[in-house]
Amino acid sequence: MKTSDFYFDLPQELIAQDPLEDRSASRLLVLNKKTGEMHHRHFYNITDYLHKGDCLVINNTKVIPARLYGTREGTGALIEILLLKRKENNIWETLVKPGKKARIGTKIIFGDGLLVGEVVDIVEEGNRLIQFTYKGVFEEILDQLGQMPLPPYITHELKDKNRYQTVYAKYEGSAAAPTAGLHFTPELLEKVRAMGVNIAEVTLHVGLGTFRPVKVEDVTQHHMHSEFYQVDETAANLINETRKNGGRIICVGTTSCRTIESAAAPDGTLRPCSGWTEIFIYPGYQFKVLDCLITNFHLPESTLLMLVSALAGKEHIMTAYEEAVREKYRFFSFGDAMLITDDSTGTTESDN
């Protein structure tokens, strides 16, 4: 299986630069994973495809303002840092630009000395381990100095930080948002609950590994970076009960999918657990828990495009993406959504 098999031509103008005023007003392409049948709806129509007794799995991670701008001690050279993973003793794994100016021992000053970082090691792919010193509470300083780590393909400034958070974000730790969840409003979630659909909350702190380009032509040789996940007893029980009673497991986003697939036993049952996952899902993978998926439109040749191809089949996905381009759907983080389902009977005609 080649990385180039997952290429498609994406016009630059289809990359969404700003979130819609109404989160739930995004368009929704509904794809039947069995037949390839497609329907064009809006995200607020998602309830048409959920059934009483189903379980929606959401990722309650919260994005931290992980992008910091500082100056190198001594020279005053500008340095940009992206926090990736918290280690111990105030040490973070980071992505530094320009990396050449961040040798071991380099000190970086942020906010006129409110925060100081020292490079203590260089790890895989040139990432730097930086130890921070400060007075007060790190999270409060980060909230004061940091910026939301929007992906590089978004060039517009984000006016409201909360628009790069889901409405159910709880636990800080992500370097990127679980973007499929950005379409939900509190009102829409309440409507889902009122239908008798269970909502299970899991946590996966999104790192940049999910979004790194696949640099090898042989897909199977790609290595995913590890990300921390947690499934508590309430979520495990809810998912297990749903499956036992014949309901469907519908994940909101690839991060929720990767979480439950990482935590599942071979027979698909879940137990409370936490740890680090490097799971890489591509065509040929047999899903243990997931039935359906709500997701955004992904980059060409990306691991996320490979994941959705594993669920619906590469031919169906590539055809759907061609349709999305033709119909001018908005792509990536602030873009439109896709529902990959086993039942597209919730609609009879387009409402666009």
Side-chain angles (χ1 to χ4, degrees), residues 9-158:
D9 188 33
L10 178 66
Q12 192 76 14
E13 64 268 19
L14 296 187
I15 299 174
Q17 292 294 325
D18 302 290
L20 296 182
E21 190 171 333
D22 176 3
R23 290 174 183 259
S24 66
S26 299
R27 295 168 74 191
L28 177 71
L29 192 154
V30 182
L31 172 67
N32 187 308
K33 66 181 183 180
K34 296 175 181 175
T35 66
E37 178 187 8
M38 286 178 272
H39 295 283
H40 300 289
R41 306 296 305 277
H42 284 94
F43 196 81
Y44 49 71
N45 300 127
I46 195 75
T47 49
D48 292 348
Y49 302 92
L50 305 176
H51 309 314
K52 183 178 180 180
D54 285 344
C55 182
L56 208 61
V57 183
I58 61 178
N59 181 8
N60 60 18
T61 188
K62 192 171 187 178
V63 185
I64 60 174
R67 182 167 278 122
L68 289 164
Y69 294 93
T71 56
R72 181 178 173 180
E73 187 181 60
T75 68
L78 291 174
I79 292 183
E80 177 188 337
I81 286 179
L82 187 64
L83 303 177
L84 300 178
K85 287 181 199 168
R86 187 197 291 266
K87 305 289 188 177
E88 67 288 316
N89 302 322
N90 288 318
I91 294 175
W92 284 76
E93 182 176 342
T94 69
L95 190 64
V96 179
K97 294 181 184 177
K100 290 179 181 178
K101 294 183 180 178
R103 299 183 180 90
I104 293 175
T106 297
K107 287 192 175 181
I108 306 164
I109 314 298
F110 305 93
D112 295 324
L114 197 59
L115 183 67
V116 178
E118 181 178 352
V119 180
V120 295
D121 201 1
I122 300 174
V123 293
E124 63 176 319
E125 297 199 16
N127 289 352
R128 266 59 176 175
L129 294 186
I130 293 181
Q131 185 164 34
F132 290 99
T133 54
Y134 51 88
K135 289 182 180 178
V137 180
F138 182 79
E139 286 74 17
E140 291 178 1
I141 294 170
L142 191 60
D143 197 49
Q144 183 179 338
L145 299 180
Q147 296 183 13
M148 290 306 258
L150 295 179
Y153 48 75
I154 294 177
T155 57
H156 291 189
E157 185 179 343
L158 185 63

Side-chain angles (χ1 to χ4, degrees), residues 157-207:
E157 185 179 343
L158 185 63
K159 294 174 184 176
D160 179 3
K161 280 185 179 181
N162 288 326
R163 290 312 306 272
Y164 196 57
Q165 301 277 21
T166 63
V167 296
Y168 46 77
K170 282 184 185 175
Y171 303 114
E172 292 187 333
S174 276
T179 54
L182 295 178
H183 304 283
F184 280 98
T185 63
E187 295 77 16
L188 186 54
L189 284 170
E190 193 50 49
K191 189 175 179 182
V192 169
R193 286 191 181 93
M195 293 173 60
V197 175
N198 297 313
I199 298 180
E201 295 188 24
V202 299
T203 306
L204 183 137
H205 292 319
V206 188

Side-chain angles (χ1 to χ4, degrees), residues 51 105 139 192 199 215 218 285 291 339:
H51 309 314
E139 286 74 17
V192 169
I199 298 180
K215 296 178 180 177
D218 180 355
Y285 179 85
D291 294 303
L339 169 65

